[in-house]
Amino acid sequence: MIDDIKKDAQSRMQKSLEALHQNFNKIRTGRAHSSILDAVTVEYYGSQVPLNQVASINVEDARTLSVVPWEQQMVPKIEKAIMTSDLGLNPASAGNVIRVPMPMLTEETRKGYIKQARQEAEHARVAVRNVRRDANGDLKSLLKEKAITEDEQHQAEEAIQKLTDSIIAEIDKALESKERDLMQV
């Protein structure tokens, strides 16, 4: 039972870390990266679908993405979807290729993105701590039911705390890396 609680806590903490990495990918740096457009959805035959399901997204050079729709009539819809997304990008189409230039980041926007990255990291830390709280609560209920001893509960709580500390250290390392990326000119 204790192993199940530990495994559940570990998988939930890993999911929090993966979600943080996905959120960091949405915060754009000065360089072009195809994952920037992952959050963009396009209307395709009456339903909203991710952009990467209706077009090929490639990095043309360090500051430009190229989006090539699989169907010609999707060009204006994709352009509109990129413009209306909260990414602050201005696509330009040339025939059936949409080029998305990455604007230079000003000092002010860099600081705003760093603030956003720190908020995302804090949300991830809180999620990890909530998982730890849930796991410790499960251990306490097992102790009340006399399914485990106090020593087993104490050892399991220590193991969960070590896991929590290691995941939070990974979150801090990811935040540091993202801040370094954002401050690079």
Side-chain angles (χ1 to χ4, degrees), residues 9 12-13 15-17 19 120-134 164 167-168 171:
R12 289 174 57 199
M13 287 180 186
K15 287 178 185 171
S16 296
L17 187 61
E120 295 292 347
E122 186 56 34
H123 289 306
R125 286 188 204 104
V126 168
V128 167
R129 290 182 191 125
N130 286 342
V131 171
R132 177 189 62 192
R133 184 196 63 218
D134 293 345
T164 303
I167 297 287
I168 287 180
I171 290 171

Side-chain angles (χ1 to χ4, degrees), residues 54-65:
V54 295
S56 164
I57 304 169
N58 299 306
V59 178
E60 210 167 87
D61 58 47
R63 306 199 53 77
T64 310
L65 289 174

Side-chain angles (χ1 to χ4, degrees), residues 21-173:
H21 287 298
Q22 289 174 347
N23 290 338
F24 276 176
N25 283 341
K26 294 176 188 170
I27 300 173
R28 68 179 176 87
T29 58
R31 292 185 303 274
H33 195 275
S34 61
S35 65
I36 291 170
L37 298 177
D38 282 352
V40 178
T41 59
V42 182
E43 186 188 330
Y44 185 66
Y45 294 109
S47 63
Q48 293 290 326
V49 295
L51 178 60
N52 61 7
Q53 291 184 7
V54 295
S56 164
I57 304 169
N58 299 306
V59 178
E60 210 167 87
D61 58 47
R63 306 199 53 77
T64 310
L65 289 174
S66 69
V67 180
V68 182
W70 293 318
E71 297 178 25
Q72 178 67 35
Q73 75 266 20
M74 290 301 295
V75 172
K77 289 180 181 179
I78 291 173
E79 258 189 300
K80 184 179 178 191
I82 293 171
M83 276 186 187
T84 57
S85 70
D86 59 349
L87 297 172
L89 300 174
N90 265 337
S93 64
N96 63 347
V97 176
I98 302 168
R99 288 192 173 73
V100 185
M102 296 289 135
M104 289 293 290
L105 295 178
T106 63
E107 190 67 26
E108 188 177 312
T109 57
R110 287 178 197 275
K111 287 181 180 173
Y113 285 143
I114 287 176
K115 186 176 179 182
Q116 183 182 351
R118 288 180 179 159
Q119 286 174 341
E120 295 292 347
E122 186 56 34
H123 289 306
R125 286 188 204 104
V126 168
V128 167
R129 290 182 191 125
N130 286 342
V131 171
R132 177 189 62 192
R133 184 196 63 218
D134 293 345
N136 287 343
D138 291 345
L139 290 170
K140 282 187 175 115
S141 64
L142 284 178
L143 180 66
K144 278 184 183 175
E145 296 168 3
K146 306 233 185 277
I148 60 172
T149 65
E150 283 186 29
D151 287 343
E152 289 173 327
Q153 178 202 9
H154 186 68
Q155 288 172 347
E157 284 178 352
E158 282 181 359
I160 289 171
Q161 184 59 46
K162 284 180 184 174
L163 177 64
T164 303
D165 292 342
S166 71
I167 297 287
I168 287 180
E170 287 183 50
I171 290 171
D172 292 340
K173 194 169 23 170

